[in-house]
Amino acid sequence: MLTVNEETCVGCGWCQTFCPQDALRAWGYLEIDYKKCDECLVCIKFCPTDSLSMADVSHHK
Amino acid sequence: MGQKQEKYDVVVLGSGIGGLCTAALLANKGYKILVTEKLPIIGGRCATLKYKGFKIPTGVLGVPMAGTFKSIFEEVGAEFNVTPMTVPPKHRIDNEIIDMSKSNQPDAILSRFCGDEKEIEALKKGINRAQTWNFPSNEISLKDYLNQYTRDEKLIEYYSNLSDRILSTRAHEISAREYFQSFAGSIKDFQSGVGFAPEGSMALMKALKKVIEEKGGKVLTQCRAKKILVKEGIAEGVVIEDKKGETTVRTSAVVSNAGPKKTVALAGKEYFDKGYLRELKNMVPSLQIWVSTISDRPLFDVPLLYTYETRRLVSFVSISHVCPKLAPAGKYIHYSISSPVSQTAPRNLRNEVNMHIQDLKDSVPDFNKYGQVLHVGCYWGEWPTLANAPIVGFNGIPQKTPIENLYNVGDGVAKKGGWAGGSPGCALSARIVVEDIENRFEPG
């Protein structure tokens, strides 16, 4: 599950422009549409502040 | 450890303006250069993002048509493809849009703000004094300085707006000395005119990259600096990591464009004295909000609209008038810029964005009818607008660090005795570092 570190994310919106699924929207802070996100990880590569990561939530399922 | 080893004359960390200008200048002088960039694209705050067929700036938009930045392109033989803006800006004052192209602009605008010519004359004396022979103190704000000459709030608002637009800091917070020194120094380059790269500012960074590579240098993207190697107080290499794994790069000098704080983290805090670390802690990174609006017709009739007495908005750039290729055929893109009232007080980012959008609705005539917000970009904190805003009491961080052969470039570091930001300031930091490296060792 894609997770944003709200302490370090500045809301620059770079990730929004690289997301192939149009699942991200920056508006002061980052909103993630989990219905659209297919965990392709592209956004993580392009985040200038290293604020995006994949959290392992398998134990919640 | 089985790590790969390489050797370069100079390693540059980060591919922003400061980094690529340094690398291009040195490569052009025969130094063997490696530039590492952790992201998949180069340019940093001078990059261009593509989104839904439109192009969005990450920071640098207008560049000076002459001066330090351009001179580097000329010196290294990089293409400086910039279209000058030839139409003067319009101004929105008192809910009215005013074309002042046929008048002496600053005087005409001041007259709009204040009907009392005596007040304006008194203020102009103060401005003239600061600009020509007596820089004010660093310990007072621009507002405090101007208040010595006028108490007219509207006149102060004009200068506050100007300071916000150019230095993202308003009059009550900016150092009076740094404000005037900036206009006499790096910002002066803009007096030669402003231009825009027709397909986005990143093309300028690509032109520098091309030169670096033609001169035998390397620019690696998705290559992260893991550690700056220091021995007995001297920088002697960098550990980098890319898809292929870690490599130890030996070098005579390390130039960091990652920001002074990141430089310390990479080298290790233990090599820096307390005084230096305190100076870094006192740096004030500033916030700017960039909104990209699209439409199927231009939302304003000239490229530039300056807005006054708004909640936040200070400028609206109808860029498609100058650079139609930034939008698909038949479409238009516009960029607008705002800063918070204070760069040091707590703020709510979402409110800041919403005030910016509300200002667009109120100030740009056709925004409500035809405009659609495409993208909102906030730059602050670790990815700031200015790494070190020139506020009251400003203390510049020099390019040299306490570690020998380790330098910083970019807008986080200042020229001697003052602030130097924006594209000219970043370029200047590169020039200063290159001169020092050149004086200290030969290529090879």
Side-chain angles (χ1 to χ4, degrees):
Chain A
M1 185 183 171
L2 183 67
T3 309
V4 57
N5 180 345
E6 286 172 8
E7 295 285 307
T8 55
C9 172
V10 295
C12 68
W14 280 41
C15 52
Q16 179 179 340
T17 69
F18 290 102
C19 175
Q21 303 299 325
D22 208 14
L24 302 168
R25 180 178 177 258
W27 197 272
Y29 62 86
L30 188 64
E31 298 163 0
I32 304 170
D33 184 341
Y34 286 104
K35 284 181 199 143
K36 288 183 181 173
C37 175
D38 67 354
E39 302 189 348
C40 70
L41 312 185
V42 167
C43 57
I44 296 176
K45 274 201 297 193
F46 282 94
C47 177
T49 59
D50 296 318
S51 299
L52 291 164
S53 60
M54 289 304 291
D56 181 8
V57 291
S58 53
H59 58 282
H60 292 307
K61 286 180 183 169
Chain B
M1 285 163 66
Q3 262 181 13
K4 283 188 293 174
Q5 298 258 347
E6 287 183 22
K7 170 104 184 65
Y8 286 86
D9 290 336
V10 179
V11 179
V12 177
L13 312 178
S15 67
I17 293 178
L20 289 183
C21 284
T22 304
L25 285 167
L26 287 171
N28 191 49
K29 291 172 191 289
Y31 291 85
K32 192 183 171 199
I33 303 295
L34 171 66
V35 181
T36 67
E37 169 56 58
K38 73 170 184 177
L39 294 168
I41 58 169
I42 61 159
R45 297 293 318 285
C46 189
T48 305
L49 305 175
K50 290 177 196 161
Y51 187 45
K52 298 188 175 179
F54 295 88
K55 290 180 177 171
I56 299 170
T58 61
V60 172
L61 185 55
V63 294
M65 294 304 294
T68 316
F69 186 50
K70 189 182 180 189
S71 75
I72 291 176
F73 285 74
E74 288 167 346
E75 181 175 328
V76 304
E79 189 186 7
F80 189 78
N81 182 11
V82 170
T83 308
M85 187 180 69
T86 51
V87 181
K90 287 187 179 180
H91 302 258
R92 188 178 189 279
I93 305 168
D94 283 339
N95 300 321
E96 201 184 324
I97 288 172
I98 301 154
D99 179 358
M100 290 182 172
S101 56
K102 290 186 183 70
S103 52
N104 179 348
Q105 275 204 33
D107 282 3
I109 297 165
L110 287 175
S111 297
R112 287 290 305 208
F113 272 90
C114 173
D116 187 342
E117 290 300 320
K118 273 188 187 165
E119 283 287 318
I120 294 174
E121 279 312 307
L123 180 69
K124 280 166 75 178
K125 265 187 195 163
I127 301 282
N128 189 48
R129 174 185 168 192
Q131 280 176 338
T132 53
W133 58 276
N134 190 7
F135 282 127
S137 160
N138 185 34
E139 297 301 324
I140 62 165
S141 68
L142 174 64
K143 186 174 194 291
D144 289 340
Y145 178 78
L146 297 178
N147 272 340
Q148 296 178 108
Y149 299 92
T150 181
R151 289 276 159 190
D152 189 293
E153 288 299 320
K154 284 200 139 196
L155 286 178
I156 305 285
E157 161 63 19
Y158 170 73
Y159 284 93
S160 201
N161 184 290
L162 190 59
S163 175
D164 188 342
R165 208 191 301 152
I166 296 170
L167 302 161
S168 74
T169 313
R170 296 190 74 84
H172 67 279
E173 227 168 24
I174 195 161
S175 148
R177 184 191 73 188
E178 296 304 327
Y179 174 87
F180 288 108
Q181 281 199 341
S182 301
F183 276 81
S186 55
I187 303 299
K188 201 177 174 188
D189 288 355
F190 284 101
Q191 284 174 5
S192 57
V194 179
F196 303 98
E199 295 191 52
S201 302
M202 195 168 174
L204 297 170
M205 298 293 94
K206 284 184 176 170
L208 292 176
K209 177 177 179 266
K210 189 168 171 251
V211 167
I212 296 161
E213 289 172 341
E214 280 169 0
K215 307 277 178 185
K218 250 190 207 175
V219 180
L220 300 178
T221 53
Q222 286 185 270
C223 179
R224 194 176 282 264
K226 302 284 284 184
K227 187 158 184 57
I228 296 168
L229 302 171
V230 181
K231 195 176 174 189
E232 291 166 5
I234 301 170
E236 56 170 26
V238 183
V239 178
I240 58 171
E241 185 184 45
D242 61 10
K243 283 177 197 161
K244 294 176 208 153
E246 285 193 0
T247 305
T248 299
V249 185
R250 298 284 159 194
T251 185
S252 302
V254 178
V255 180
S256 171
N257 190 199
K261 287 178 187 169
K262 182 79 180 163
T263 307
V264 167
L266 284 169
K269 230 176 171 180
E270 63 275 21
Y271 295 108
F272 299 86
D273 58 85
K274 274 186 188 168
Y276 186 78
L277 294 175
R278 195 180 311 119
E279 280 174 24
L280 296 198
K281 206 177 162 194
N282 290 339
M283 288 171 72
V284 176
S286 65
L287 162 68
Q288 223 173 34
I289 296 172
W290 288 65
V291 175
S292 299
T293 302
I294 55 173
S295 59
D296 55 11
R297 66 192 73 200
L299 296 180
F300 198 61
D301 62 347
V302 296
L304 211 46
L305 171 67
Y306 292 142
T307 56
Y308 303 85
E309 297 171 311
T310 56
R311 296 168 189 84
R312 294 292 185 271
L313 189 71
V314 286
S315 55
F316 180 80
V317 188
S318 200
I319 191 74
S320 293
H321 287 301
V322 189
C323 305
K325 286 184 177 171
L326 296 170
K331 302 278 182 188
Y332 298 83
I333 188 158
H334 315 75
Y335 310 128
S336 49
I337 301 153
S338 69
S339 299
V341 169
S342 167
Q343 289 291 3
T344 54
R347 63 205 164 211
N348 178 316
L349 215 48
R350 174 158 271 208
N351 284 350
E352 292 292 332
V353 172
N354 288 339
M355 280 189 273
H356 182 133
I357 309 273
Q358 192 57 48
D359 280 337
L360 285 171
K361 290 177 180 172
D362 295 347
S363 307
V364 181
D366 284 338
F367 182 90
N368 287 312
K369 266 196 212 163
Y370 309 113
Q372 182 197 338
V373 172
L374 174 74
H375 186 265
V376 175
C378 299
Y379 291 92
W380 60 283
E382 293 301 307
W383 194 220
T385 288
L386 303 174
N388 199 8
I391 63 166
V392 172
F394 169 83
N395 233 336
I397 311 291
Q399 288 82 28
K400 279 191 174 184
T401 71
I403 296 177
E404 207 175 311
N405 300 341
L406 174 62
Y407 302 85
N408 283 303
V409 288
D411 80 339
V413 287
K415 66 179 189 293
K416 199 175 179 185
W419 181 84
S423 51
C426 294
L428 180 62
S429 72
R431 275 228 179 269
I432 293 168
V433 167
V434 167
E435 196 185 320
D436 199 71
I437 288 176
E438 229 187 324
N439 286 337
R440 297 188 54 230
F441 60 89
E442 305 265 311

